[in-house]
Amino acid sequence: MTVKPQGSSDVTAWKELITQLPGILGAEFSLEDGAIREVHILSDQSRGPKQIVRDVQSALLARFQVELDHRVVSVAQVPGHIARPGRLVCDRLELSTGRSGASASVYLNLEDHIYHGSSQCDLSTTGRFRSIALATVDALNQVLSSGCSFSLEEIRSTALGAQQAMLVGLILKNGGKTEALLGACYEGEDPNFSAVLATLDAVNRRLPTLPRREHGDGLSS
């Protein structure tokens, strides 16, 4: 389906959203008579081209109700796993289960520094998603200075039209003030990773305005 943007601001918003997705380094739209004809993506090799195309489709549909034909999206990949400056991306998600429950470890990449968070939960699907979101929040809080922190309020997988979407609500406490943040993404083929992606969606626009720790203050790099 071809979609006509209302103006250049629409294309700018689409590009800003797409470049927040894991592994994506750049995006360009080619328009013809105001309609999308081609989307060109530059990415690292942390995710396969098919998954990147699905992420782009899901993100545009969830945020802007733009339906994109996968045939108009081309992906060029460069070697290495490079974090886009100023943006958090998920470097790795690890899950393990045992008789007593499940545990999640999330590794976030910000400007070539790795932040590791972990959490444990019960074996239910809801518990697993919550554990992944909590591990992501744990890693996020290692980025921030003292007196500034995120906490998980709720994570929910819900039907949105014909697809499942992941919704994450966070609370940001900064300098005595409290702010509610919301992140969302379509689940696609990997609901577990979507829990990380929706959490990052809630914070990536806000993060550049928040105080950060100096590298080396108890952080992994």
Side-chain angles (χ1 to χ4, degrees):
M1 175 179 178
T2 55
V3 177
K4 290 190 176 183
Q6 298 301 308
S8 60
S9 60
D10 282 356
V11 176
T12 299
W14 296 347
K15 289 169 63 174
E16 183 177 349
L17 173 64
I18 289 172
T19 50
Q20 292 182 49
L21 298 174
I24 293 183
L25 308 175
E28 290 294 336
F29 286 82
S30 176
L31 306 180
E32 184 178 312
D33 296 328
I36 299 173
R37 294 304 181 192
E38 294 179 335
V39 182
H40 301 279
I41 303 295
L42 179 66
S43 78
D44 61 30
Q45 295 178 325
S46 60
R47 295 167 73 73
K50 289 184 179 180
Q51 183 61 58
I52 287 172
V53 171
R54 286 192 290 267
D55 287 348
V56 169
Q57 289 178 293
S58 296
L60 288 175
L61 186 60
R63 181 65 64 81
F64 299 109
Q65 294 75 54
V66 172
E67 295 184 30
L68 194 64
D69 190 327
H70 69 90
R71 292 172 294 184
V72 306
V73 185
S74 62
V75 179
Q77 295 189 296
V78 295
H81 190 111
I82 305 169
R84 186 172 180 266
R87 294 288 184 182
L88 279 159
V89 297
C90 182
D91 190 82
R92 190 162 79 254
L93 167 62
E94 297 176 349
L95 290 171
S96 61
T97 58
R99 292 184 178 180
S100 59
S103 62
S105 290
V106 173
Y107 298 81
L108 301 181
N109 189 325
L110 176 63
E111 298 172 355
D112 293 327
H113 288 261
I114 302 297
Y115 301 86
H116 170 225
S118 60
S119 178
Q120 294 185 328
C121 66
D122 59 54
L123 290 172
S124 68
T125 299
T126 300
R128 183 175 73 252
F129 290 156
R130 184 171 182 82
S131 179
I132 294 169
L134 285 170
T136 306
V137 168
D138 185 27
L140 284 169
N141 285 336
Q142 295 178 38
V143 178
L144 303 176
S145 340
S146 131
C148 183
S149 65
F150 295 106
S151 60
L152 177 66
E153 184 173 42
E154 186 174 358
I155 180 167
R156 179 185 302 173
S157 176
T158 185
L160 188 60
Q163 301 189 57
Q164 285 294 120
M166 192 71 70
L167 305 178
V168 172
L170 301 179
I171 297 297
L172 169 64
K173 292 184 178 179
N174 182 24
K177 296 182 179 180
T178 300
E179 179 181 350
L181 301 172
L182 177 66
C185 72
Y186 278 111
E187 290 185 10
E189 294 185 355
D190 189 352
N192 293 325
F193 188 80
S194 298
V196 180
L197 189 60
T199 305
L200 295 183
D201 181 62
V203 305
N204 256 330
R205 291 193 182 204
R206 193 71 176 83
L207 188 67
T209 68
L210 300 176
R212 302 185 195 175
R213 297 187 196 183
E214 294 294 330
H215 292 313
D217 292 352
L219 304 180
S220 301
S221 60

